[in-house]
Amino acid sequence: MALHRLTSITMGVPHPAETAAYYTDFGLSPDGDGWFTTRDAGRQLHIVHAPTRRLVEVRVGADTPDDLSAAASRLRRLGMGSRATDSTLTAYERTTGVRAVLEVAPRLTQPATPPTSYNGPGRAERTGTRAPAVLRTAPVRPGKLGHAVVGTTDFAATTAFFRDGLGFLASDYLKDTGAFLRCSTDHHNILVLAAPVAFLHHTSWQVDDVDEVGRGAAAMLEHHPERHVWGLGRHHAGSNFFWYLKDPAGNFSEYYSDMDCIIDDQLWTPDVLEGARSLFTWGPPPPPSFLHPEDLAALMTGAHSAAG
């Protein structure tokens, strides 16, 4: 596909310094002016001030200027405007106010990490030594930004903007309330969720394996048990291991590993998922606050006040 990765997101929060300290603990590296880097992909999170927490911007890598022109044409057919330069195309999703920037950028090539060795029935991949994972002491540092999840009051319109306008592909759907959309070979890079107000639900960050998911969460919770939201578990959509935590602004952040990878689009058929299967395969059930964050009523009040 012409699009090839989610390059960065901008997150708006009422108290940037407090939120920045959280993402430093989470394993992202401060890089000046509210920016944070991942281990493999450079600047991927920008934290700015906003009256309420929200997804301000998503930036998406494209291969060539022709890919930007094609997206501009698709947006025009949908009645959506855009602004172009030689290397970028900027458009606004009307319902959520999210600014989307397609930018000509090099494809990301991550260094291969050695496969984790596991022993099993009739299979001894590791002998005479403890599992390397139990000996790890270095802080967990995410390799890249995986995806962002945005709530919208017009599910069809927001889905159409990303899928039919920008050119994301659909991987799976949550009946008529969720769309897992990809701009890379990862199962999803944007998840659009039907919601009573536009907001940022969570961001997701790749780590090397399930042990790093657990180690990262354990370190985050050691002195701040209130950060725990949901985990450890494994999703059905995307198949990834997960653990969710909550930042001071109320956004969820996810450590994940082992995400489904879609190399040949013709070999993947999107499913329409329902019930528990739409949320997880195993693990504890999600708390009510994950499905309906506790501050949604306040966010709705703020949105109505701003509109008035």
Side-chain angles (χ1 to χ4, degrees), residues 13 25 32 75 82 87 122 135 143 187-188 191 202 205 209 225 227 247 256 260 265-266 268 274:
V13 296
D25 290 348
L75 289 166
S82 61
S87 60
L135 303 176
H187 177 272
H188 57 286
L191 169 56
H202 75 263
W205 305 86
D209 57 26
R227 291 171 169 172
D247 74 22
Y256 81 88
D260 286 338
D265 298 326
Q266 302 303 314
W268 185 270
E274 298 184 62

Side-chain angles (χ1 to χ4, degrees), residues 20-300:
Y22 170 93
Y23 285 97
T24 302
D25 290 348
F26 190 79
L28 305 183
S29 298
D31 198 42
D33 196 28
W35 279 97
F36 291 79
T37 66
T38 54
R39 184 188 65 205
D40 300 331
R43 285 183 159 194
Q44 293 209 276
L45 174 64
H46 192 202
I47 298 175
V48 300
H49 179 266
T52 59
R53 65 184 181 93
R54 59 182 295 258
L55 181 60
V56 175
E57 180 185 82
V58 297
R59 299 184 77 91
V60 178
D63 284 325
T64 70
D66 287 344
D67 300 327
L68 308 185
S69 298
S73 296
R74 290 192 299 268
L75 289 166
R76 278 196 300 272
R77 289 196 293 271
L78 294 173
M80 302 174 185
S82 61
R83 184 177 71 254
T85 69
D86 290 342
S87 60
T88 65
L89 177 78
T90 302
Y92 287 83
E93 201 287 304
R94 295 168 182 166
T95 305
T96 60
V98 171
R99 180 173 64 248
V101 181
L102 303 189
E103 55 186 354
V104 177
R107 291 186 174 239
L108 175 64
T109 301
Q110 289 183 279
T113 57
T116 304
S117 298
Y118 291 105
N119 291 338
R123 188 186 76 254
E125 297 179 357
R126 172 183 49 78
T127 60
T129 182
R130 299 185 194 279
V134 305
L135 303 176
R136 295 174 188 166
T137 58
V140 171
R141 189 171 183 211
K144 70 173 183 178
L145 169 64
H147 58 266
V149 180
V150 61
T152 175
T153 57
D154 192 333
F155 172 71
T158 303
T159 299
F161 173 82
F162 283 100
R163 183 191 59 203
D164 307 327
L166 298 184
F168 282 59
L169 298 177
S171 298
D172 286 310
Y173 292 98
L174 303 177
K175 208 169 182 182
D176 55 356
T177 62
F180 293 90
L181 307 176
R182 67 184 186 274
C183 62
S184 74
T185 57
D186 291 340
H187 177 272
H188 57 286
N189 303 106
I190 291 289
L191 169 56
V192 178
L193 283 180
V197 65
F199 75 106
L200 174 61
H201 185 276
H202 75 263
T203 59
S204 186
W205 305 86
Q206 181 197 61
V207 293
D208 292 346
D209 57 26
V210 65
D211 284 288
E212 295 299 88
V213 172
R215 288 203 321 117
M220 289 291 286
L221 298 174
E222 184 175 4
H223 300 295
H224 295 278
E226 74 282 0
R227 291 171 169 172
H228 174 70
V229 176
W230 183 29
L232 173 70
R234 187 156 195 159
H235 286 305
H236 182 86
S239 302
N240 53 291
F241 296 105
F242 67 82
W243 200 316
Y244 293 90
L245 305 152
K246 185 165 71 172
D247 74 22
N251 306 298
F252 303 140
S253 60
E254 176 190 16
Y255 290 116
Y256 81 88
S257 70
D258 194 24
M259 178 73 72
D260 286 338
C261 186
I262 303 170
I263 301 295
D264 188 336
D265 298 326
Q266 302 303 314
L267 298 180
W268 185 270
T269 301
D271 278 340
V272 178
L273 306 173
E274 298 184 62
R277 186 161 159 263
S278 69
L279 292 168
F280 67 117
T281 297
W282 59 259
S289 62
F290 182 82
L291 304 175
H292 304 286
E294 296 163 350
D295 64 345
L296 282 194
L299 292 175
M300 292 171 66

